Amino acid sequence: SYELTQPPSVSVYPGQTARITCSADALPKQYAYWYQQKPGQAPVLVIYKDSERPSGIPERFSGSSSGTTVTLTISGVQAEDEGDYYCQSADSSGTYVLFGGGTKLTAL
Amino acid sequence: QVQLQESGPGLVEPSQTLSLTCTVSGDSISTDTYYWSWIRQPAGKGLEWIGRIYASGSTNYNPSLKSRVTMSLDTSRNQFSLNLHSVTAADTAVYYCAREREVPAALSVYFDLWGRGTLVTVSS
C-alpha cells in the first residue's frame, strides 16, 4: 500500500492563486481526485481524473499531474473557497481507496 | 435528483455493533453503473474509506477494518447497510455513504455523490 501526503494548510489572500499538492510515496500512479469539504458538510468532488472538472464546478478550479505529485490549483481564490481539500486515489487494482490527510485552505 | 441518506443510532456502546443504513432515492442500487461505499471521518480528522458493496452483493473492505466490517444490500428497499462490530471510542465519527464510479479501463474509482453524514458516538 502507499500513502497520499498533503500539506496540512495553505493560506493565500483573496484573488491570489492557491496550489495544494498531493504526493504519493510510491508507485503505481493512479488517477487522483479532489474533494472540497466545508464545515459541517459532506465532501464535494471538484476535480476527477487528475484534471477534469465536474459540471457546476467553477473554472478557477483546475488540476494537474507530474510524476507522483498531483496539484489542485485555485486561481483567484474567493472567500467561499475556504475549507478542507482532500485528494483521493486507489491502489493499482483500483480495489482499495486512499485519501490524503487533507489540506485546510484559508483566505487571509 | 439522486440522493443518499444515512440513518441509524447516534450512540453505540463499546463492544457492540454499529449499524447504519443508507437509503438511495432517484436511482436503483441494482445498477452495475455504480458501487456503494461507506466512508467515515472522526471529528477534526481526515476521511477513511471503510468499504464498498457492488450490485451483485460482493464487497471490498479496508484491510484495517476488514475483520470487523460487514456490508449488505436490500434491493427491495433500495438500501445498503454497514455493520461495524466490536466498536470502541476510536470508531466515533461521522459516517458517510457515497456513490462510487469507476473510470473504465483505468482501474480507478471516485465518489460523485455523498450523503450528508451521520454522527455515531461510541460511549457507555
Side-chain angles (χ1 to χ4, degrees):
Chain A
S1 65
Y2 66 104
E3 295 183 353
L4 301 176
T5 301
Q6 298 180 234
S9 63
V10 168
S11 300
V12 297
Y13 288 99
Q16 291 187 331
T17 296
R19 294 181 179 85
I20 301 172
T21 58
C22 175
S23 299
D25 64 353
L27 293 173
K29 175 65 170 66
Q30 269 271 14
Y31 279 128
Y33 305 86
W34 290 95
Y35 302 87
Q36 175 195 64
Q37 185 180 35
K38 297 184 179 180
Q41 298 183 19
V44 172
L45 181 72
V46 294
I47 293 291
Y48 67 101
K49 288 175 60 179
D50 289 350
S51 60
E52 302 289 328
R53 193 173 54 250
S55 61
I57 300 301
E59 291 184 4
R60 64 181 180 272
F61 288 86
S62 64
S64 61
S65 176
S66 178
T68 57
T69 298
V70 292
T71 301
L72 171 68
T73 300
I74 308 171
S75 304
V77 166
Q78 301 182 6
E80 66 194 49
D81 299 330
E82 283 197 327
D84 296 321
Y85 290 82
Y86 293 91
C87 63
Q88 176 251 307
S89 190
D91 72 322
S92 59
S93 68
T95 300
Y96 302 110
V97 172
L98 300 168
F99 286 100
T103 298
K104 182 177 182 62
L105 174 66
T106 301
L108 298 169
Chain B
Q1 182 180 1
V2 182
Q3 292 184 323
L4 285 71
Q5 178 66 59
E6 304 89 352
S7 60
L11 181 64
V12 181
E13 293 189 355
S15 80
Q16 298 303 303
T17 296
L18 179 161
S19 296
L20 295 174
T21 295
C22 181
T23 300
V24 180
S25 58
D27 195 6
S28 171
I29 63 170
S30 300
T31 176
D32 289 333
T33 305
Y34 304 111
Y35 312 143
W36 308 97
S37 271
W38 289 95
I39 296 155
R40 70 180 183 178
Q41 184 175 36
K45 297 188 178 180
L47 301 165
E48 180 181 33
W49 177 71
I50 300 171
R52 74 169 66 83
I53 188 163
Y54 299 86
S56 65
S58 298
T59 55
N60 298 123
Y61 301 138
N62 186 323
S64 68
L65 297 169
K66 184 176 181 178
S67 64
R68 298 194 292 130
V69 174
T70 55
M71 294 182 184
S72 60
L73 282 175
D74 185 343
T75 55
S76 66
R77 298 187 177 189
N78 220 40
Q79 297 174 334
F80 61 104
S81 298
L82 166 70
N83 284 326
L84 181 63
H85 309 284
S86 304
V87 297
T88 68
D91 296 309
T92 294
V94 173
Y95 286 75
Y96 296 99
C97 58
R99 189 177 73 176
E100 187 175 338
R101 301 189 72 161
E102 182 178 15
V103 177
L107 298 178
S108 184
V109 293
Y110 64 99
F111 306 98
D112 69 340
L113 191 63
W114 298 62
R116 298 179 65 178
T118 187
L119 173 63
V120 179
T121 301
V122 178
S123 175
S124 55

